[in-house]
Amino acid sequence: MVVNVADFIASFGGAAPAPGLTAPLAGLWWAAKGDWDEAHRIVQDDSSRDAAWVHAYLHRVEGDLGNAGYWYRQAGQPAAKDSLEAEWQRIAAALLAR
């Protein structure tokens, strides 16, 4: 069971995200594993604000800041200005705390 960021990161050795993860967390998991397309597919099919936040992060990763801005607004989050790694950690911590 994933309960904190350290456990979440430890799960990267697996072939798939832990069962029961929300779509936004599964998207973050795939993003961390380097599978942008799978991460994007997962969050694109989820209408939650948390999925929009991950969606924004993913478009920031790809360098599409205009599209990222749209998704940050949908998520009710400010556009990130820190490193991608710091943003990933912040999103993961926030989603795991919920």
Side-chain angles (χ1 to χ4, degrees):
M1 178 176 185
V2 175
V3 295
N4 59 42
V5 175
D7 290 340
F8 190 48
I9 291 170
S11 76
F12 296 165
L21 284 183
T22 64
L25 281 168
L28 273 183
W29 191 93
W30 284 110
K33 295 277 283 188
D35 193 336
W36 188 96
D37 290 327
E38 181 63 11
H40 187 257
R41 183 192 65 74
I42 290 169
V43 297
Q44 188 169 348
D45 291 340
D46 185 316
S47 62
S48 71
R49 289 172 70 106
D50 289 344
W53 193 10
V54 176
H55 203 156
Y57 165 79
L58 290 170
H59 284 293
R60 187 170 173 236
V61 166
E62 92 174 320
D64 186 350
L65 300 182
N67 203 355
Y70 169 82
W71 289 106
Y72 283 119
R73 289 187 298 278
Q74 296 305 304
Q77 295 290 333
K81 305 238 187 278
D82 53 354
S83 72
L84 291 169
E85 295 80 12
E87 182 182 15
W88 185 95
Q89 287 272 342
R90 187 173 59 257
I91 295 170
L95 297 183
L96 287 165
R98 293 186 180 153

